[in-house]
Amino acid sequence: MEYIYRPKGVCSMQIKFEIDHNNVVKNIRFTGGCNGNLQGVSKLANGKKAEEIITLLEGINCGGNGTSCPDQLARALREAIG
């Protein structure tokens, strides 16, 4: 199933991703933000279980904002898997 998430407090404007019936995340795509860094995050997270990605990325802070694009991905995944 494909999900679309609107990040808050970061440069990225949208995160799209798919989660299969085993909670494996695929096709992560960020719109906006630091393109090179977000491509790297997407490639590293692709094919991993949502729970593992959440554990790795949750709480990462960028520029004192209290969040970051990786943290927003973790929040999006947590919301998607309930």
Side-chain angles (χ1 to χ4, degrees):
M1 175 174 261
E2 183 175 74
Y3 293 88
I4 298 173
Y5 183 80
R6 303 268 184 223
K8 296 161 192 73
V10 296
C11 299
S12 179
M13 297 171 287
Q14 185 179 75
I15 306 171
K16 288 184 181 180
F17 55 92
E18 297 173 22
I19 300 179
D20 71 13
H21 63 282
N22 292 316
N23 281 352
V24 174
V25 182
K26 299 177 183 171
N27 299 320
I28 304 163
R29 299 170 311 280
F30 286 84
T31 302
C34 303
N35 188 37
N37 290 335
L38 296 175
Q39 283 184 54
V41 168
S42 297
K43 286 183 182 256
L44 290 169
N46 191 53
K48 291 186 172 32
K49 287 200 167 241
E51 297 86 349
E52 180 182 0
I53 298 168
I54 292 167
T55 299
L56 290 170
L57 302 181
E58 193 169 49
I60 293 176
N61 186 0
C62 179
N65 291 333
T67 191
S68 64
C69 291
D71 179 63
Q72 289 293 302
L73 175 58
R75 292 178 191 202
L77 293 171
R78 184 174 298 287
E79 185 177 295
I81 64 172

